[in-house]
Amino acid sequence: MKVTKREQVLLGTLLIVLLCYGFYKFVYMKQSQKITELKASRDTYSQKWELAKSKIASESERKDQYKVLNSKILNATGMLFPSIEQEKIIVILDKMLKDSNLQADVLAFSEASSGNNVADTTKTVTNESKNTTNALDKLVSDFNGTSKTNTSNASSSTSDSKIVGAYKTEVTLNFKGVYDELISFIEQVEDYDKKIIINSISITGAEGSEVSGTIILDFYSVPKLNNNDVLKWDYVKPSGNENPFFQSPTTSSINNETITKQDGTAVTKDETAAATDDSKSDFVLYAKPKTPDLHTVTIEKGKDESKLSYIYADNAGVELVEFYFTQVGTKYYYKYKTSKGTYPKDFSKPIEFVPIGNNIALDIFSQKRGLYSDLSGVNINITNDTDKKVDVDILDDDKNKPRVKILKQIGDISVVRNYIQYVNK
């Protein structure tokens, strides 16, 4: 059979159409479907990647927010005792009485109780009641990882009464002395670095300026996170004569430890402690090692109950801090900054302040270095453009590898570095 040229063209066209249809049906459609699925998968993974990037980017911010929150908790509870322990309270009050020369005949304690007055922690100055549980204690224990489950008491836990809030105890003092001694005692209570509330005072006058009466003091405590605010004992092993009843009129205090300043001047430990009372600080800087919970650098204005002047920095290495003190007429102004923040926020507008003493007091509380990886520190530049001297007191710094360095000083500035262990009053 002879195929014409026209038929050949038609057969060729049919063959091309069949090939195109087969390619479209069995190749293009399958590949197109795979491309669509891959695009959908790409979009899904792209969304996951963007979410992962946002989480990674916000991780450092969340850590910083956590440290700021932790610092705020410590600042808010720092004025309270970490626990109510009668022995330590007695030591504190005994020192105040001796320093003021006020005589106290009776020292009575009330039972420690919760702040919400739902239940008393009967005879539990160490907060170890068996029949009551404090929710705040449990929260702190869970945070510190020290909570324990007692299966033997599980059946009776439902009957235990729960209390929430700070612990409180009242101390009653029956005193006698002269009026000035009473005022001195009250001033010591007000200036103590932990909050002691004078609940009430009853005074009866006697001959001359002598007075007697009763004073009731309230002590509050909350358990602290990380056990980082444990009330310390300033105890030194006694030394001297073996006979405790023999007293030499020339005997000096065994705790009067001598400390050498940078300029070679010798001062006593008592003089240094008095000079570094944080209630008399115009500005305070804390330099600490790198930890997951707290910042390495914290700066604050002394006695700032609003906490607005607090700025932080968290640097595993060395952080640069700058202080500026200026004077306009008889008014004094300040501002300071770290790599993470400034105070005030508008750094071009310093804030007015009134120095507490004759000079401007900047107290720096450092810590001894731990492991070799502890490289955090602070370099400080100070510019003093006032007619007052800036007294910089650095406490408890590392003697071999100081954590705090004063790099640049402009104006009248005095730096004292004390390599001693700071102990709460």
Side-chain angles (χ1 to χ4, degrees):
M1 180 179 177
K2 186 177 180 180
V3 180
T4 63
K5 187 176 182 179
R6 181 173 178 276
E7 290 175 341
Q8 292 177 353
V9 172
L10 291 174
L11 288 173
T13 303
L14 178 61
L15 181 61
I16 293 173
V17 170
L18 291 174
L19 289 174
C20 291
Y21 176 78
F23 175 81
Y24 175 80
K25 181 68 175 178
F26 299 104
V27 178
Y28 177 80
M29 288 296 294
K30 290 184 177 181
Q31 295 299 324
S32 177
Q33 184 177 1
K34 288 183 178 180
I35 291 173
T36 302
E37 292 176 354
L38 289 174
K39 285 183 177 180
S41 178
R42 182 200 63 184
D43 293 339
T44 301
Y45 283 107
S46 178
Q47 293 177 358
K48 292 181 178 180
W49 169 242
E50 293 297 330
L51 181 61
K53 286 199 301 182
S54 64
K55 289 182 178 180
I56 293 173
S58 62
E59 182 179 0
S60 60
E61 181 180 355
R62 290 200 306 272
K63 286 182 178 180
D64 190 63
Q65 291 175 350
Y66 164 74
K67 291 186 176 182
V68 170
L69 181 60
N70 204 15
S71 297
K72 288 181 178 179
I73 293 174
L74 293 177
N75 292 330
T77 61
M79 67 180 65
L80 302 179
F81 289 85
S83 62
I84 292 180
E85 301 183 37
Q86 291 186 5
E87 298 86 350
K88 296 181 180 180
I89 293 176
I90 290 173
V91 171
I92 294 170
L93 293 178
D94 181 67
K95 184 179 184 303
M96 292 181 178
L97 291 170
K98 288 181 178 178
D99 291 345
S100 62
N101 293 322
L102 191 67
Q103 298 181 13
D105 297 330
V106 178
L107 182 66
F109 284 81
S110 69
E111 295 177 344
S113 60
S114 172
N116 65 349
N117 295 324
V118 172
D120 287 340
T121 54
T122 306
K123 299 181 181 179
T124 56
V125 296
T126 57
N127 303 338
E128 296 178 353
S129 174
K130 294 182 179 179
N131 298 322
T132 57
T133 57
N134 191 309
L136 190 58
D137 279 334
K138 183 179 184 303
L139 178 64
V140 173
S141 298
D142 291 342
F143 181 88
N144 294 332
T146 58
S147 57
K148 298 180 181 179
T149 303
N150 190 345
T151 56
S152 63
N153 294 333
S155 60
S156 61
S157 60
T158 55
S159 62
D160 292 345
S161 57
K162 293 185 177 181
I163 54 178
V164 182
Y167 289 100
K168 171 190 173 183
T169 188
E170 290 185 354
V171 180
T172 303
L173 288 168
N174 289 349
F175 64 87
K176 62 180 179 179
V178 298
Y179 181 77
D180 291 339
E181 294 171 349
L182 174 61
I183 296 300
S184 175
F185 176 78
I186 294 175
E187 289 176 349
Q188 291 189 60
V189 171
E190 293 176 342
D191 292 339
Y192 192 70
D193 59 354
K194 301 295 182 183
K195 180 66 71 175
I196 303 176
I197 306 298
I198 300 177
N199 188 313
S200 64
I201 301 178
S202 175
I203 304 176
T204 302
E207 295 181 1
S209 61
E210 291 187 358
V211 294
S212 61
T214 302
I215 182 170
I216 299 177
L217 303 175
D218 290 342
F219 291 78
Y220 290 89
S221 76
V222 293
K224 299 298 189 296
L225 300 177
N226 299 321
N227 300 318
N228 53 7
D229 192 13
V230 178
L231 195 61
K232 301 177 182 178
W233 288 85
D234 189 8
Y235 175 77
V236 178
K237 183 179 179 180
S239 62
N241 296 316
E242 295 182 357
N243 187 348
F245 299 99
F246 176 78
Q247 294 183 356
S248 171
T250 60
T251 301
S252 60
S253 173
I254 62 175
N255 294 331
N256 206 18
E257 182 179 328
T258 302
I259 301 167
T260 303
K261 297 183 180 180
Q262 283 186 332
D263 58 5
T265 306
V267 295
T268 64
K269 183 176 179 181
D270 290 341
E271 291 171 343
T272 303
T276 56
D277 183 359
D278 54 6
S279 65
K280 300 177 182 178
S281 305
D282 292 301
F283 303 92
V284 181
L285 184 148
Y286 298 93
K288 301 178 180 179
K290 178 77 173 179
T291 64
D293 303 312
L294 296 173
H295 297 85
T296 58
V297 177
T298 302
I299 308 175
E300 62 183 76
K301 174 72 174 65
K303 289 189 174 181
D304 180 16
E305 297 181 357
S306 67
K307 315 299 183 185
L308 297 176
S309 66
Y310 285 50
I311 64 172
Y312 310 93
D314 197 37
N315 193 336
V318 178
E319 178 70 20
L320 178 63
V321 174
E322 298 180 14
F323 284 90
Y324 296 88
F325 303 105
T326 56
Q327 179 179 358
V328 178
T330 58
K331 296 182 179 180
Y332 299 90
Y333 299 85
Y334 74 94
K335 59 181 180 179
Y336 46 79
K337 69 177 181 178
T338 66
S339 62
K340 294 294 184 180
T342 66
Y343 189 77
K345 290 185 178 180
D346 187 354
F347 203 62
S348 62
K349 298 179 180 179
I351 297 178
E352 182 183 356
F353 78 106
V354 178
I356 296 177
N358 296 327
N359 299 326
I360 300 173
L362 169 59
D363 287 341
I364 301 175
F365 297 90
S366 181
Q367 288 187 11
K368 296 179 181 179
R369 295 187 184 275
L371 303 175
Y372 292 106
S373 59
D374 183 4
L375 301 177
S376 65
V378 55
N379 289 342
I380 304 176
N381 292 337
I382 302 175
T383 299
N384 179 23
D385 189 16
T386 71
D387 59 359
K388 291 183 177 292
K389 180 171 66 174
V390 176
D391 289 330
V392 182
D393 203 337
I394 305 173
L395 281 173
D396 199 20
D397 205 0
D398 194 292
K399 189 172 185 179
N400 298 322
K401 191 177 180 182
R403 193 184 297 275
V404 179
K405 294 182 180 179
I406 308 297
L407 291 185
K408 183 179 178 183
Q409 306 176 43
I410 299 177
D412 189 4
I413 298 172
S414 172
V415 179
V416 176
R417 189 184 297 271
N418 299 316
Y419 300 108
I420 62 174
Q421 179 67 34
Y422 181 75
V423 180
N424 286 340
K425 298 187 290 296

